[in-house]
Amino acid sequence: MATIKFYKSEEQVPLEMHKVRVVQKLFLPPIEERVKKINEAGNNTFLLQNKDVYMDMLTDSGVNAMSDNQVAAMFQADDSYAGSETCNRLIKVIKEVFGTEYFLPAHQGRACENILAEAFVKPGDVVPMNFHFTTTKSHITRKGGSVVELVRKCGLEPQNNEPFKGNFDIPALEKVIAEVGAEHIPFVRIEAGTNLIGGQPLSLENMLQVAEICKKNGILSLLDASLLQDNLYFIKTREEACKNMTIREITRTLCDKMDLIYFSSRKLGFARGGGIISNNEKLILKMKEFIPLYEGFLTYGGMEVRSMEAMAVGLLETMDEEIISQGPMFIEHLVKELDSYGVPMILPAGGLGAHINAMEFLKDIPQSEYPAGALAAALYIAGGIRGMERGSLSEQRNPDGSEHYSDMELVRLACPRRVFTLSQIKYCADRVKWLYDNRHLIGGLRWEEEPSVLRFFFGQLRPIGNWQEKLADKFREDFGDSL
Ligand code: F0G
């Protein structure tokens, strides 16, 4: 991306440094349909059909646009069960980019988490991390371990000018290690950038400090690099000491200090799939046998070889600052526009997507009525926009069955990389502004069907009262026949 100043205007506009050559037709169902569809989906945006969605901002996972070079590379995939040239090409790129010798392929990020938990987590173990991700926590707790979150206090404050809100609280990490004992800590997991607290990045300095503490205590450092792409951009643009480093140099400086790294290539590298990488052969051997058992043979690990070719090219593109700036710059544009209108946003803008603070947006809706879920449903009604609840619905209940209310109630508006145009981003901002002005009309949700594991994926809820009809009436009043 480039930031362009327009003639006779103060506005700084992010300008795409790519053009679109393959397009997909979109539909925007009329408002009556949208009320119907969201209820058929149990007010759960995961259960909406894509054909009924105008802007799919559910996730940045597996939906990033590929480049011409990625698509071209897919044609030369070497389709073999074992020993494919595609895998050799990918290993070469991984070594070039991350400096790691060994690669265990897996079909996506959570598959890596499954293998890491299987190999390293024992009952009673404690895994410190800056912040959990849903699937990570589930894999660790399933093996009898528990998670301790050590993000600094500012990371949980919705609005704070800190550039690296995802950073570890270093003294807190040292305290946990002293209290729990290194022998009960299989690894410290560094999530860079964070997912559930608004795509907030970590500084290179903080991550290197964590690695140093791990080394001193004989504990493994584990980097979840799924969201590293945006984080690299933030290190380059926000961390004074890294201003003159290239993205490649930042990546190598970081990865050289990690014992283990895993990633979802559904996010990192504009592709699909994932993998675990390391320079430590002993650690790799502890996990190796699980790959054919759970994923597939060691040269594809459950991935489609074409995806592996796309991943190799995508990882190289990730080293290009101009390419990786697209996501963060569009997100910043959306966040700034909404923030200046008064919409409570997570500040500063992070990676992955824009995050609305639903607790503040819908002040009168208690957490027991899931304000973030309600706002996500309302936004689909307002604009055919599919965001994702990242609040209490995304938590799991306490062992005694009581609700575990999340620290933040967020609606995430993911910006898949290289997918949307700026006018679509502006449309999204417009519909959020309208909702904000009509927030008094939005009501809460209650469970109708609640699954016991990862309930946010398939759970179904109902609106409390008839607020959705009232919202639709107001929409017709304000927008008339317009969709
Ligand atoms: N780690 C992080 C930080 C993630 O954001 C994700 C996925 C995973 C691991 C798991 O990877 O989906 O390939 O199995 N996040 C997606 C999201 C699902 O929508 O935020 P996966």
Side-chain angles (χ1 to χ4, degrees), residues 78-98:
D78 181 17
D79 229 336
S80 58
Y81 189 92
S84 86
E85 268 307 295
T86 292
C87 189
N88 292 336
R89 276 195 282 273
L90 178 57
I91 289 172
K92 197 162 156 252
V93 167
I94 286 175
K95 195 170 169 185
E96 179 189 326
V97 169
F98 301 107

Side-chain angles (χ1 to χ4, degrees), residues 59 108-110 113 133 195 224 226 264 266-267 412:
T59 178
Q108 61 184 97
R110 70 200 67 184
E113 291 167 346
F133 181 66
N195 187 322
D224 177 352
S226 305
S264 167
R266 298 174 63 80
K267 293 171 185 270
R412 175 176 97 177

Side-chain angles (χ1 to χ4, degrees), residues 248-266:
R248 264 177 199 266
E249 284 164 350
I250 296 169
T251 308
R252 286 299 288 272
T253 307
L254 173 64
C255 295
D256 282 354
K257 297 289 181 205
M258 296 293 149
D259 293 308
L260 288 162
I261 302 169
Y262 77 97
F263 56 89
S264 167
S265 228
R266 298 174 63 80

